């Protein structure tokens, strides 16, 4: 149990760790105030019993003394309880918020291969369920368990001041309670891992079902996919029920031990009184204490079953944060934020970009004998390519040949296994990641827009940009007209992923976003592949505006987007099979010539 407490405290950042430490210190005072009630009861009982049995005069000061002690106990208890609750809540929820940001920042600097090897459900589960548990359940469970132990320990110490024999009985009950509590934590040890696993599986399956609902419907797989989703949901339901069924019997035994320990204190106190070794006043005080002793401990004990789940959740989140990132700081001149401070900086105020700026507005890109493999499957095999500034390079080739991977390596989405990629004569690994990314804009085939206003989606890279710049970018991207026709114009909130817009509209908003970023290098990955003829004219005009005076790298299959490129690179099976201008490659009669011929035949098809 204490290992979990230590792990939880280490998981919190320094600021919130101080809040939890402070809440524990204040909690000690809270326990002392709670224990003062025993003193108030003892003073009153001794006064009343002394008057009734021994004939002593009942003094008013006894009432006031007891009343004063009780007031101090109640008022002090209220204040300390409020302070501990506030600090615990602030510490828990701020830890949750900062860890989510820290995980998001950490994921941003992981190689893209990580997201191919790990399910979206697991990542989502950690950032939602796990962090929610840390912010709410974990804070409550950890602090209540600790407070229960603290309250009970101080009350038992107070009992030693009255009668050490009764204190020993209470201590024995405390030890027996913790022994049963150990078995509760042991009972949920394995099932907690199953719960964490099923949480991730359920979220992953729900996301998969929703994202693929179009394919599910079109292939009439609704029954099968629904069955798979239901199976995952039912498995999680059974795991949760199993966890409860394991906890309930042990929890009842735990509660019974607490009650029987109180009964044992009462019987022992009465025995000592009848035997003449305890006064009636002390006996009465012990009877009252027997009801107070295990209240806090029992409440904390019921939460202790969650400690194992919290332990696993914290371990899972820490495991993601421990994943080795790419070298994000590089060797740029100037100050750079350490990785561990990124979440704090983002939470309090966005950090200013650091690093050496590029010398040229559109730098030269050079790939020198680069290799890259997914696991053991080689994707890029000793490719060398020079891309001059202000030039257009078209990448074509068979599907699965490595075109997209090659472009990702140029922008350092992954690090190459061998060789090097240089930008402006300097290895991309020597730039800080943030500084490097300022020089690239991307327009992908599958555009992702966020559940936000159209204006905020366009100004995504520049959140503080004025509306005039947003509108100017939209006009250049040929999307001002359809945006203005929407009910709320630029303030229209679009669905997550841009589901409420057509493919062409999403592409143009993506281009407007890239225009706003105004990077010297543009990478277009099949940007016109899924666009209908009506939207293609506007989209091509938007791309033309985007690529003015830029270094352009495009992956394309359409003849009109390829033939005017300054150089055309044909990648097949991870190698450069052909390279040159359109007319020269057509004359060679190789892969590119066959590609052009097949495209012409496809265009000539008519109904």
């Amino acid at each position: 149990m204490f290992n979990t407490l230590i792990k939880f405290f280490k998981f919190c950042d320094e600021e919130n760790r101080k809040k939890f430490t402070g809440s524990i210190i204040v909690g000690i005072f809270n326990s002392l105030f709670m224990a003062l009630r025993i003193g108030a009861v003892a003073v009153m009982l001794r006064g009343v019993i002394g008057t009734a049995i021994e004939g002593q005069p009942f003094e008013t000061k006894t009432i006031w003394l007891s009343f004063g002690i009780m007031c101090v106990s109640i008022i002090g208890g209220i204040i300390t309880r409020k302070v501990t609750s506030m600090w615990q809540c602030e510490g828990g929820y701020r830890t949750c918020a900062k860890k989510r940001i820290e995980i998001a920042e950490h994921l941003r600097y992981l190689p893209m291969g990580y997201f191919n090897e790990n399910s979206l459900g697991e990542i989502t589960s950690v950032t939602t369920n796990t962090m929610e548990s840390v912010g709410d359940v974990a804070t409550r469970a950890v602090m209540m368990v600790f407070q229960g132990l603290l309250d009970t320990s101080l009350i038992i110490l107070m009992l030693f001041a009255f009668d050490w024999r009764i204190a020993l009985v209470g201590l024995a009950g405390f030890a027996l309670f913790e022994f049963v509590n150990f078995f509760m934590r042991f009972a949920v040890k394995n099932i907690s891992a199953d719960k964490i696993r099923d949480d991730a599986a359920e979220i992953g399956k729900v996301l998969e079902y929703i994202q693929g609902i179009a394919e599910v419907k079109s292939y009439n797989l609704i029954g099968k996919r629904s069955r798979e989703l239901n199976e995952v949901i039912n498995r999680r339901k059974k795991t949760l029920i199993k966890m409860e069924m394991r906890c309930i019997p042990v929890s009842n035994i735990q509660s019974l031990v607490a009650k029987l320990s109180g009964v044992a204190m009462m019987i022992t106190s009465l025995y000592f009184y009848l035997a003449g070794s305890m006064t009636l006043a002390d006996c009465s005080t012990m009877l009252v204490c027997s009801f107070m002793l295990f209240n806090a401990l029992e409440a904390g004990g019921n939460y202790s079953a969650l400690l194992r789940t919290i332990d696993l959740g914290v371990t899972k989140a820490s495991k993601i944060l421990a994943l080795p990132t790419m070298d994000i700081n590089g060797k740029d001149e100037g100050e750079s934020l350490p990785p561990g401070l990124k979440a704090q900086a983002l939470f309090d105020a966005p950090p200013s970009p650091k690093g050496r700026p590029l010398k040229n507005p559109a730098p030269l890109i050079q790939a020198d004998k680069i290799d890259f493999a997914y696991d053991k499957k080689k994707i890029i095999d000793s490719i060398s390519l020079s891309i001059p500034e202000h030039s257009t390079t078209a990448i074509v080739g068979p599907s699965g040949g490595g075109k997209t991977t090659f472009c990702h390596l140029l922008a350092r989405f992954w690090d190459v296994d061998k060789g090097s990629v240089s930008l402006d004569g300097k290895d991309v690994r020597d730039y800080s990641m943030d500084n490097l990314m300022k020089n690239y804009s991307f327009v992908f085939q599958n555009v992702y827009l966020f559940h936000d206003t159209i204006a905020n989606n366009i100004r995504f890279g520049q959140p503080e940009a004025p509306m005039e710049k947003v509108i100017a970018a939209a006009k250049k991207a040929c999307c001002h007209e359809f945006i203005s026709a929407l009910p709320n114009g630029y303030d229209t909130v679009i669905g997550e992923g841009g589901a409420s817009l057509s493919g062409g509209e999403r592409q143009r908003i993506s281009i407007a976003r890239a225009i706003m970023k105004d990077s010297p290098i543009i990478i277009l990955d099949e940007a016109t592949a899924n666009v209908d003829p009506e939207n293609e004219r506007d989209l091509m005009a938007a791309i033309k505006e985007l690529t003015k005076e830029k270094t352009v790298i495009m992956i394309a299959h359409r003849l009109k987007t390829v033939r005017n490129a300054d150089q055309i690179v044909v990648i097949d099976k991870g190698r450069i099979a052909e390279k040159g201008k359109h007319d020269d490659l057509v004359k060679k009669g190789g892969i590119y010539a066959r590609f052009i011929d097949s495209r012409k035949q496809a265009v000539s098809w008519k109904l």
Side-chain angles (χ1 to χ4, degrees):
M1 179 173 65
F2 286 103
N3 287 336
T4 301
L5 297 178
I6 293 170
K7 184 181 289 187
F8 175 73
F9 272 71
K10 286 183 177 179
F11 182 72
C12 301
D13 63 287
E14 185 176 354
E15 178 188 348
N16 293 305
R17 199 180 301 129
K18 288 180 180 178
K19 287 186 179 292
F20 285 125
T21 303
S23 72
I24 290 173
I25 294 170
V26 176
I28 294 173
F29 287 99
N30 179 261
S31 299
L32 289 172
F33 284 125
M34 293 299 103
L36 277 179
R37 297 180 183 183
I38 298 175
V41 171
V43 168
M44 182 59 72
L45 286 175
R46 284 177 178 174
V48 171
I49 291 172
T51 300
I53 297 177
E54 299 174 9
Q56 297 175 358
F58 187 78
E59 298 181 3
T60 307
K61 68 178 183 181
T62 302
I63 297 175
W64 288 110
L65 179 59
S66 178
F67 179 73
I69 295 173
M70 188 62 74
C71 284
V72 171
S73 173
I74 293 172
I75 294 171
I78 290 172
I79 294 172
T80 52
R81 175 61 69 182
K82 178 183 178 181
V83 171
T84 55
S85 297
M86 288 299 297
W87 284 355
Q88 288 167 19
C89 287
E90 287 179 10
Y93 288 119
R94 285 184 70 86
T95 293
C96 171
K98 288 186 177 182
K99 285 299 177 181
R100 278 177 171 149
I101 294 172
E102 189 176 341
I103 289 172
E105 276 294 288
H106 195 77
L107 291 174
R108 192 158 70 96
Y109 296 111
L110 291 178
M112 291 297 292
Y114 169 79
F115 302 98
N116 294 330
E117 298 164 2
N118 297 270
S119 70
L120 181 60
E122 184 173 345
I123 298 170
T124 307
S125 179
V126 170
T127 54
T128 53
N129 290 352
T130 301
M131 289 300 101
E132 187 66 27
S133 294
V134 169
D136 188 5
V137 180
T139 304
R140 188 184 302 271
V142 169
M143 302 316 294
M144 283 197 72
V145 170
F146 190 85
Q147 193 66 46
L149 293 172
L150 195 60
D151 287 353
T152 305
S153 300
L154 286 175
I155 291 175
I156 289 175
L157 286 175
M158 181 75 78
L159 289 179
F160 274 105
F162 286 91
D163 194 297
W164 62 270
R165 298 168 297 180
I166 304 303
L168 287 177
V169 175
L171 188 60
F174 178 48
L176 184 59
F177 182 93
E178 286 302 309
F179 181 74
V180 176
N181 188 259
F182 168 79
F183 278 100
M184 176 186 280
R185 296 195 300 272
F186 182 79
V188 299
K189 182 176 181 180
N190 294 328
I191 199 71
S192 295
D194 294 340
K195 178 188 179 299
I196 296 289
R197 180 203 64 204
D198 291 342
D199 284 347
E202 183 183 60
I203 290 176
K205 187 58 69 174
V206 169
L207 287 172
E208 179 188 89
Y209 185 82
I210 294 172
Q211 291 171 345
I213 193 66
E215 284 75 13
V216 169
K217 284 185 175 181
S218 63
Y219 286 94
N220 198 28
L221 295 173
I222 294 176
K224 178 183 178 183
R225 293 299 174 187
S226 295
R227 188 163 57 251
E228 290 178 357
L229 178 60
N230 290 338
E231 286 174 357
V232 171
I233 293 172
N234 286 329
R235 185 167 66 243
R236 182 171 180 267
K237 178 189 72 175
K238 290 176 181 177
T239 300
L240 292 174
I241 293 173
K242 187 177 180 181
M243 188 174 185
E244 289 296 321
M245 294 305 293
R246 285 191 182 182
C247 289
I248 288 172
V250 185
S251 179
N252 288 335
I253 294 172
Q254 188 176 253
S255 180
L256 181 63
V257 167
K259 299 295 190 295
L260 290 178
S261 297
V263 172
M265 288 176 61
M266 295 172 65
I267 293 173
T268 308
S269 299
L270 290 170
Y271 172 79
F272 289 140
Y273 167 68
L274 294 174
S277 60
M278 181 182 287
T279 65
L280 180 60
D282 285 349
C283 178
S284 301
T285 303
M286 294 302 102
L287 292 177
V288 173
C289 287
S290 67
F291 289 98
M292 297 173 57
L293 180 60
F294 293 101
N295 284 342
L297 186 64
E298 192 174 355
N302 291 331
Y303 275 93
S304 65
L306 296 173
L307 292 180
R308 176 61 181 169
T309 303
I310 295 164
D311 187 295
L312 290 171
V314 168
T315 300
K316 212 170 187 64
S318 299
K319 193 174 179 181
I320 290 179
L321 291 171
L323 288 169
T325 62
M326 302 168 77
D327 180 11
I328 61 174
N329 292 320
K331 300 175 183 175
D332 289 18
E333 298 172 2
E335 186 180 347
S336 184
L337 280 172
L341 297 181
K342 287 186 178 293
Q344 175 65 40
L346 280 175
F347 191 80
D348 294 333
S352 59
K354 303 287 182 183
R356 184 177 69 85
L358 297 174
K359 290 182 292 186
N360 301 318
L364 174 73
I365 302 170
Q366 178 73 44
D368 183 21
K369 296 180 180 178
I370 61 174
D371 287 359
F372 180 75
Y374 293 129
D375 292 329
K376 296 181 180 179
K377 183 181 179 183
K378 200 162 193 178
I379 306 298
I380 301 298
D381 187 4
S382 193
I383 287 183
S384 294
L385 181 66
S386 178
I387 300 176
E389 59 183 345
H390 292 170
S391 68
T392 298
T393 299
I395 311 290
V396 299
S399 179
K403 303 183 297 296
T404 298
T405 300
F406 176 67
C407 289
H408 285 173
L409 291 171
L410 295 181
R412 207 193 169 197
F413 277 24
W414 293 279
D415 278 331
V416 296
D417 297 332
K418 290 182 180 179
S420 65
V421 176
S422 61
L423 179 64
D424 192 30
K426 180 178 178 180
D427 196 306
V428 292
R429 290 168 290 197
D430 291 341
Y431 290 96
S432 68
M433 186 64 75
D434 289 335
N435 195 41
L436 180 67
M437 285 298 107
K438 287 191 298 180
N439 298 284
Y440 291 91
S441 287
F442 304 88
V443 180
F444 297 110
Q445 178 180 352
N446 298 315
V447 176
Y448 189 89
L449 300 179
F450 296 90
H451 182 66
D452 202 343
T453 64
I454 288 179
N456 286 341
N457 268 282
I458 292 175
R459 60 159 70 98
F460 183 72
Q462 299 182 38
E464 305 302 323
M467 199 62 199
E468 293 76 16
K469 287 189 69 176
V470 173
I471 294 173
K475 286 180 178 179
K476 289 179 180 179
C478 301
C479 53
H480 175 71
E481 187 176 341
F482 84 79
I483 293 173
S484 300
L486 294 171
N488 297 313
Y490 284 85
D491 292 325
T492 301
V493 176
I494 56 179
E496 186 174 347
S500 56
L501 300 176
S502 71
E505 290 169 342
R506 290 198 298 271
Q507 284 284 15
R508 279 179 276 165
I509 289 176
S510 175
I511 290 171
R513 181 191 289 170
I515 289 173
M516 281 282 290
K517 189 178 181 185
D518 194 27
S519 299
I521 303 167
I522 309 295
I523 296 181
L524 305 171
D525 188 352
E526 301 282 12
T528 62
N530 296 327
V531 179
D532 53 77
E534 289 78 8
N535 281 310
E536 186 175 3
R537 178 177 57 83
D538 288 338
L539 186 59
M540 293 305 296
I543 290 175
K544 184 177 180 181
E545 188 66 36
L546 170 66
T547 56
K548 278 183 180 178
E549 298 183 359
K550 307 289 187 184
T551 301
V552 181
I553 304 166
M554 64 168 68
I555 300 173
H557 286 154
R558 297 196 180 193
L559 178 59
K560 64 179 69 176
T561 60
V562 172
R563 66 182 306 156
N564 295 323
D566 296 303
Q567 67 173 335
I568 299 168
V569 179
V570 181
I571 295 181
D572 182 30
K573 297 178 181 178
R575 289 177 171 271
I576 294 180
E578 296 175 341
K579 182 173 66 173
K581 287 187 172 291
H582 171 78
D583 293 336
D584 296 334
L585 292 177
V586 170
K587 291 177 183 177
K588 284 185 178 180
I591 296 176
Y592 182 76
R594 293 194 295 272
F595 163 75
I596 294 300
D597 186 57
S598 65
R599 292 294 151 186
K600 287 181 178 178
Q601 290 181 26
V603 171
S604 67
W605 272 83
K606 293 182 180 180
L607 292 177

